[in-house]
């Protein structure tokens, strides 16, 4: 979606969402990623949208092609707009039956599960529990931007290991980790841990081709402020404090891509 070396997806995302969004690639890549998901939705399928927010593209597409849509969110509104949710509930307490959905989609949500009292392991267990055998679980997440430790630090190997118990067919695709001709985006100038690690979006597509493991639980999860503090890296918490007291003021920085 590059037009004259400009990101047209960012303009489209700004218009669709109607709110301020992060600069490219973070505020833009979810548009072509989710549009790509739509090609997998067929009439008669059941689709679950985890943390659906107020963007109803998947919901409307399902209605148009004759697929059954369900969406969950923890809040009835998102940035002042009604969410597309059909049920207001936490993924940790997902109420749908086993083997119910053909597709389970999480658009920019997985990085926040730990902040809302749902561990990554348990959240994925719930996603694969309600997914049919040979169905797909589709997740896209920002890396080096926000959310819990694995996503802030970009611990891709650890993220991959979370999917291994559920799927032997997992595709990890990095969007704009080499962002030329766009400049690389650094969200936390002064945060030494991420000093040479530009932000990008990771698209994860997994096929449920393994038996569901039985040893999973959510006992290690924490909620609210404790969840945020314990799920963030120590030095990231320190950096946030230094920003709060005014040591670091700049929100983000662009640097030319050297690759």
């Amino acid at each position: 979606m590059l037009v004259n070396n400009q990101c047209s997806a960012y303009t489209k995302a700004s218009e669709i969402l109607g709110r301020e969004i992060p600069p490219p690639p973070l505020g833009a890549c979810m548009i072509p990623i989710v549009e790509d998901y739509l090609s997998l939705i067929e009439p008669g399928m059941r689709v679950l949208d985890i943390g659906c927010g107020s963007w109803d593209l998947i919901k409307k597409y399902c209605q148009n092609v004759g697929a059954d849509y369900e969406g969950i969110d923890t809040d009835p509104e998102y940035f002042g707009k009604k969410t597309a949710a059909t049920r207001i509930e936490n993924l940790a307490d997902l109420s749908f039956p086993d083997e119910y959905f053909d597709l389970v989609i999480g658009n920019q949500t997985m990085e926040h599960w730990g902040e809302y009292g749902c561990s990554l392991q348990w959240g994925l267990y719930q996603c694969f529990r309600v997914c049919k055998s040979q169905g797909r679980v589709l997740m896209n997440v920002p890396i080096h931007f926000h959310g819990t430790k694995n996503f802030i630090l970009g611990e891709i190997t650890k993220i991959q290991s979370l999917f291994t118990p559920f799927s032997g067919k997992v595709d990890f695709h990095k969007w704009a980790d080499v962002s030329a001709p766009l400049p690389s985006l650094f969200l936390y100038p002064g945060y030494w841990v991420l000093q040479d690690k530009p932000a990008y979006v990771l698209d994860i597509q997994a096929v449920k081709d393994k038996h569901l493991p039985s040893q999973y639980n959510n006992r290690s999860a924490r909620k609210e402020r404790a969840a945020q503090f314990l799920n963030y890296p120590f030095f990231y918490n320190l950096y946030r404090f230094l920003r709060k007291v005014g040591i670091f003021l700049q929100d983000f920085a662009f640097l030319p891509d050297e690759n």
Side-chain angles (χ1 to χ4, degrees), residues 163-252:
F163 285 82
T164 302
F166 307 100
S167 175
K169 298 177 183 177
V170 189
D171 178 61
F172 284 75
H173 181 71
K174 296 180 180 181
W175 285 70
D177 63 323
V178 177
S179 55
L182 300 177
S184 297
L185 173 63
F186 295 83
L187 272 299
Y188 304 104
Y191 181 34
W192 53 98
V193 177
L194 300 183
Q195 126 180 359
D196 59 348
K197 298 177 180 178
Y200 63 93
V201 177
L202 181 67
D203 182 28
I204 309 168
Q205 301 195 20
V207 175
K208 182 183 177 182
D209 59 0
K210 294 185 178 181
H211 292 296
L212 198 68
S214 59
Q215 72 274 19
Y216 281 70
N217 61 68
N218 198 39
R219 288 193 290 267
S220 63
R222 300 292 182 269
K223 294 183 179 180
E224 300 174 350
R225 288 187 178 274
Q228 294 185 11
F229 182 81
L230 293 173
N231 281 293
Y232 293 163
F234 171 79
F235 286 114
Y236 179 64
N237 283 318
L238 175 60
Y239 176 80
R240 291 175 71 215
F241 172 76
L242 294 176
R243 280 179 61 117
K244 190 172 183 179
V245 299
I247 301 298
F248 299 109
L249 298 177
Q250 193 174 2
D251 289 331
F252 57 84

Side-chain angles (χ1 to χ4, degrees), residues 71-233:
I72 67 164
D73 207 300
T74 56
D75 295 301
E77 291 189 354
Y78 186 67
F79 283 93
K81 294 183 178 180
K82 185 179 179 180
T83 65
T86 57
R87 299 188 187 187
I88 303 301
E89 63 184 43
N90 194 309
L91 177 60
D93 304 309
L94 193 62
S95 58
F96 293 100
D98 297 354
E99 302 260 336
Y100 191 74
F101 294 99
D102 299 279
L103 293 176
V104 177
I105 298 173
N107 177 41
Q108 306 277 305
T109 177
M110 185 180 175
E111 72 273 16
H112 295 300
W113 293 351
E115 299 169 347
Y116 288 85
C118 181
S119 70
L120 288 175
Q121 293 89 342
W122 183 247
L124 282 177
Y125 173 84
Q126 292 282 41
C127 290
F128 281 94
R129 177 184 67 78
V130 300
C131 184
K132 295 178 181 178
S133 177
Q134 300 303 314
R136 294 173 183 264
V137 173
L138 313 172
M139 299 280 151
N140 69 82
V141 294
I143 301 296
H144 303 318
F145 175 36
H146 63 195
T148 51
K149 181 180 178 181
N150 300 120
F151 307 97
I152 285 282
L153 298 182
E155 297 175 335
I156 305 303
T157 301
K158 290 185 178 179
I159 296 173
Q160 290 173 326
S161 69
L162 295 170
F163 285 82
T164 302
F166 307 100
S167 175
K169 298 177 183 177
V170 189
D171 178 61
F172 284 75
H173 181 71
K174 296 180 180 181
W175 285 70
D177 63 323
V178 177
S179 55
L182 300 177
S184 297
L185 173 63
F186 295 83
L187 272 299
Y188 304 104
Y191 181 34
W192 53 98
V193 177
L194 300 183
Q195 126 180 359
D196 59 348
K197 298 177 180 178
Y200 63 93
V201 177
L202 181 67
D203 182 28
I204 309 168
Q205 301 195 20
V207 175
K208 182 183 177 182
D209 59 0
K210 294 185 178 181
H211 292 296
L212 198 68
S214 59
Q215 72 274 19
Y216 281 70
N217 61 68
N218 198 39
R219 288 193 290 267
S220 63
R222 300 292 182 269
K223 294 183 179 180
E224 300 174 350
R225 288 187 178 274
Q228 294 185 11
F229 182 81
L230 293 173
N231 281 293
Y232 293 163

